[in-house]
Amino acid sequence: MKENAVLEMRNIHKSFPGVRALHQVDFTLCEGEIHALMGENGAGKSTLIKVLTGVYEKDEGEIYLKGSEKPVSIKSPQDAQNLGISTVYQEITLCPNLTVAENMYIGRGKSGLTNWRKMNADADRILTNLGIPARATQQLSDCSIAIQQMVAIARAVDMDCKVLILDEPTSSLDESEVEKLFGLMRDLKARGVGIIFVTHFLDQVYEVCDKITVLRDGELVGEYVIEDLPRVKLVAKMLGKELNDMEEIKDENQVYKGPEERVFEAEGLQSDAGIRPFDFYIRKGEVNGFTGLLGSGRSECVRAIFAADKVIAGRVKKNGKPVKIAKPLDAMKNGIAYLPEDRKRDGIVGDLSVRDNIILAAQVLRGFFRPFSRAEANRFADEYIKLLEIKTASADTPIKSLSGGNQQKVILARWLLTHPEYLILDEPTRGIDIGTKIEIQKLVLKLASEGMSVTFISSETDEMLRTCSRLIVMRDRKVVGELSSDELTQSKVMETIAGGNVG
């Protein structure tokens, strides 16, 4: 093994029916190193991690750990854990109804008897040692998502992990929580733990990582020291092409040229989710957006528009005529489509096929007593798989088997199949790769140029500025400003969020 290496994966191959997921992939992790594993969705990152953690069995290749002269055999997650390999996933896998200490030690007792006092004392010692602001006796559900992830990391550290895998750990965290997590990561790095960091946030990679390994289409592109790989070059390696200017995705010739009529209007709209009453409109062929800090109310606004939350006040017009939208089906019947913020909870139906997920909304509108024929369903699925370039072995593949970006494309296909007049996209690019982000942004602008109205929400301000022609700014669950034309700048958005003069 390479000097100072804690893990070496050599010549890893893995295939599934119809898909070559990994081909001749090498990966090396050193002690006391934070190593980013980067690539588009479908590049092979998740498969490589699942091979390392025993979820999948590799077809070919060898895995070496520090201190092992021969390759190790990892056939289950328990094998990986026993070898000092631990994983903390984006979705917390702990038990919220148990205490912090119980979560740290669950499944590790060797007898039916538990020394609760010792367990709590040991847990408090570890939490204090790692600087985690939680108490052993505190119920996990009372902790923030960031603290819950830190508890999962503390559990791994106490089990003497040598390799810690953090799979999209920051997707649901705000800026201050990310900093706390990074502090813990740096502490573990100083203790000699090797950390594999999987993320789609480039800023975070360059803030906390030492090295980057890039995968593309299941193959190794290369391993790089962070200082030797500028961001533009990283993006180019991930996409497999040069990217001269990510900022310019708008085609000046691709704009809607029809009359600027208002498709949807709301006055004094309010839901039971705690937002203040707000006014809103969107024109035909326009892309607008709600922006603001986490918790500002931007998602609650669009949920009120779609009646995903109970509407308690306000009047709504569609094409200038009053309509009643009391539930999501009313919104759908009025030509409104809504891609929710949390695709796993509110979007995909994991056990259903790609085909069944695509036709779901159209079937609801049609009525379940008038099901689509198999031929119709296949035609719809094939059309949108091709249109959105969804990477799937077939339309029969369960959607849960797809990468996050491709799951997002399936949900987008579901709503496009209803041929909406007004499309609401809440965080459509969260947790997906840069290439797919750009594809979705370009698709949004294309749909708008053809006359569709789109509301686009993203926590990444630069993405909003690239895509939207008008921004509604939120703070403390109320609308505090509206920006368009020359006002659409990063500094103006920040000034308005902070409460400066909008002008």
Side-chain angles (χ1 to χ4, degrees):
M1 286 182 67
K2 177 181 173 183
E3 185 181 357
N4 206 34
V6 68
L7 164 72
E8 282 190 14
M9 304 178 76
R10 302 177 187 170
N11 194 36
I12 303 297
H13 291 246
K14 180 63 184 177
S15 294
F16 301 98
V19 178
R20 188 181 73 174
L22 295 172
H23 179 70
Q24 293 183 325
V25 173
D26 295 336
F27 179 81
T28 301
L29 177 69
C30 293
E31 290 180 289
E33 173 182 270
I34 302 176
H35 196 134
L37 183 60
M38 303 290 288
E40 296 190 77
N41 282 322
K45 306 185 302 291
S46 295
T47 304
L48 187 69
I49 284 172
K50 287 176 179 177
V51 166
L52 176 59
T53 55
V55 176
Y56 294 154
E57 190 169 349
K58 62 188 182 306
D59 298 332
E60 291 181 47
E62 298 173 328
I63 300 174
Y64 293 85
L65 291 173
K66 184 179 181 182
S68 62
E69 295 181 4
K70 297 180 179 179
V72 295
S73 176
I74 306 175
K75 295 187 175 180
S76 70
Q78 188 63 52
D79 285 347
Q81 191 170 290
N82 293 341
L83 289 165
I85 301 169
S86 294
T87 308
V88 176
Y89 294 100
Q90 177 180 351
E91 286 83 21
I92 304 298
T93 54
L94 301 178
C95 303
N97 59 316
L98 299 181
T99 67
V100 168
E102 286 169 336
N103 272 284
M104 289 174 63
Y105 290 99
I106 190 170
R108 294 165 60 186
K110 296 181 179 177
S111 71
L113 300 175
T114 301
N115 185 332
W116 295 96
R117 181 176 293 178
K118 182 178 185 305
M119 181 182 75
N120 289 334
D122 288 348
D124 273 330
R125 175 179 50 79
I126 296 161
L127 294 168
T128 301
N129 194 21
L130 293 176
I132 299 173
R135 302 185 314 278
T137 56
Q138 186 176 358
Q139 188 158 312
L140 190 73
S141 59
D142 293 336
C143 300
S144 68
I145 296 296
I147 301 303
Q148 290 183 36
Q149 286 178 323
M150 291 182 186
V151 169
I153 293 171
R155 172 183 166 88
V157 171
D158 190 50
M159 295 171 71
D160 195 27
C161 87
K162 300 176 182 65
V163 175
L164 176 62
I165 304 163
L166 300 178
D167 190 359
E168 295 286 357
T170 63
S171 290
S172 302
L173 307 186
D174 63 27
E175 199 170 318
S176 63
E177 290 174 328
V178 169
E179 281 307 312
K180 289 177 187 174
L181 179 62
F182 283 179
L184 178 55
M185 289 168 65
R186 292 184 181 105
D187 186 18
L188 295 175
K189 170 185 170 179
R191 297 164 189 251
V193 176
I195 300 174
I196 302 174
F197 184 40
V198 181
T199 184
H200 289 103
F201 294 108
L202 295 188
D203 288 348
Q204 295 179 6
V205 169
Y206 284 86
E207 182 175 344
V208 79
C209 293
D210 304 298
K211 288 181 186 171
I212 302 173
T213 288
V214 180
L215 301 182
R216 186 175 68 245
D217 296 329
E219 297 188 358
L220 175 68
V221 176
E223 177 190 291
Y224 310 91
V225 176
I226 197 91
E227 293 84 3
D228 297 340
L229 189 67
R231 298 179 196 211
V232 174
K233 288 188 177 180
L234 169 59
V235 171
K237 291 182 184 300
M238 290 169 63
L239 298 181
K241 57 188 175 185
E242 290 302 320
L243 192 64
N244 295 323
D245 191 356
M246 274 186 63
E247 301 301 317
E248 296 300 325
I249 65 166
K250 293 182 181 178
D251 183 344
E252 294 302 324
N253 297 316
Q254 193 182 58
V255 293
Y256 176 65
K257 296 180 173 61
E260 290 191 349
E261 60 211 43
R262 294 189 177 188
V263 172
F264 182 88
E265 298 172 79
E267 182 181 331
L269 197 62
Q270 187 178 11
S271 73
D272 63 357
I275 51 166
R276 312 278 183 90
F278 68 97
D279 299 340
F280 173 80
Y281 71 89
I282 187 166
R283 303 183 187 96
K284 187 175 179 67
E286 178 186 26
V287 183
N288 71 10
F290 286 90
T291 188
L293 300 177
L294 195 68
S296 63
R298 60 196 188 205
S299 293
E300 287 80 3
C301 284
V302 292
R303 287 180 64 83
I305 291 169
F306 192 71
D309 294 329
K310 185 179 179 181
V311 176
I312 58 176
R315 293 179 293 177
V316 173
K317 291 181 183 178
K318 181 199 168 188
N319 297 325
K321 296 180 180 179
V323 292
K324 183 178 180 181
I325 299 179
K327 56 185 182 295
L329 185 58
D330 296 337
M332 292 167 66
K333 288 178 177 177
N334 279 284
I336 303 174
Y338 168 55
L339 190 149
E341 179 181 17
D342 189 334
R343 67 170 172 260
K344 290 192 180 294
R345 186 188 69 189
D346 300 325
I348 69 169
V349 183
D351 291 327
L352 292 185
S353 67
V354 169
R355 177 196 307 105
D356 290 340
N357 270 276
I358 287 175
I359 67 168
L360 190 59
Q363 185 65 74
V364 169
L365 281 172
R366 182 183 171 105
F368 283 105
F369 293 109
R370 297 174 57 221
F372 290 116
S373 68
R374 182 74 172 197
E376 287 177 308
N378 282 334
R379 178 163 53 82
F380 292 144
D382 290 345
E383 178 185 349
Y384 282 94
I385 287 171
K386 182 178 180 181
L387 175 68
L388 299 181
E389 299 181 357
I390 299 169
K391 293 179 182 177
T392 178
S394 76
D396 291 311
T397 302
I399 191 173
K400 64 185 179 185
S401 302
L402 271 57
S403 66
N406 285 298
Q407 288 178 3
Q408 197 75 308
K409 287 182 178 182
V410 170
I411 304 170
L412 188 53
R414 173 193 298 167
W415 290 111
L416 292 180
L417 182 57
T418 68
H419 304 290
E421 291 180 62
Y422 175 30
L423 176 64
I424 301 169
L425 302 174
D426 192 356
E427 295 284 7
T429 65
R430 174 184 285 171
I432 64 176
D433 61 87
I434 296 164
T436 307
K437 282 186 179 188
I438 294 172
E439 284 179 39
I440 289 176
Q441 291 166 30
K442 286 184 174 179
L443 176 63
V444 164
L445 294 170
K446 180 176 182 292
L447 292 170
S449 74
E450 295 169 354
M452 190 179 293
S453 303
V454 183
T455 291
F456 186 94
I457 295 177
S458 171
S459 53
E460 298 181 36
T461 308
D462 61 338
E463 189 171 49
M464 299 281 282
L465 295 172
R466 284 198 299 271
T467 312
C468 300
S469 57
R470 187 164 56 91
L471 288 180
I472 296 110
V473 184
M474 304 288 300
R475 184 176 70 246
D476 299 331
R477 297 185 172 247
K478 65 179 179 181
V479 174
V480 294
E482 183 178 301
L483 305 174
S484 59
S485 303
D486 295 341
E487 295 178 319
L488 287 174
T489 63
Q490 185 97 16
S491 59
K492 194 67 178 176
V493 171
M494 292 300 103
E495 178 186 313
T496 309
I497 289 173
N501 181 23
V502 179

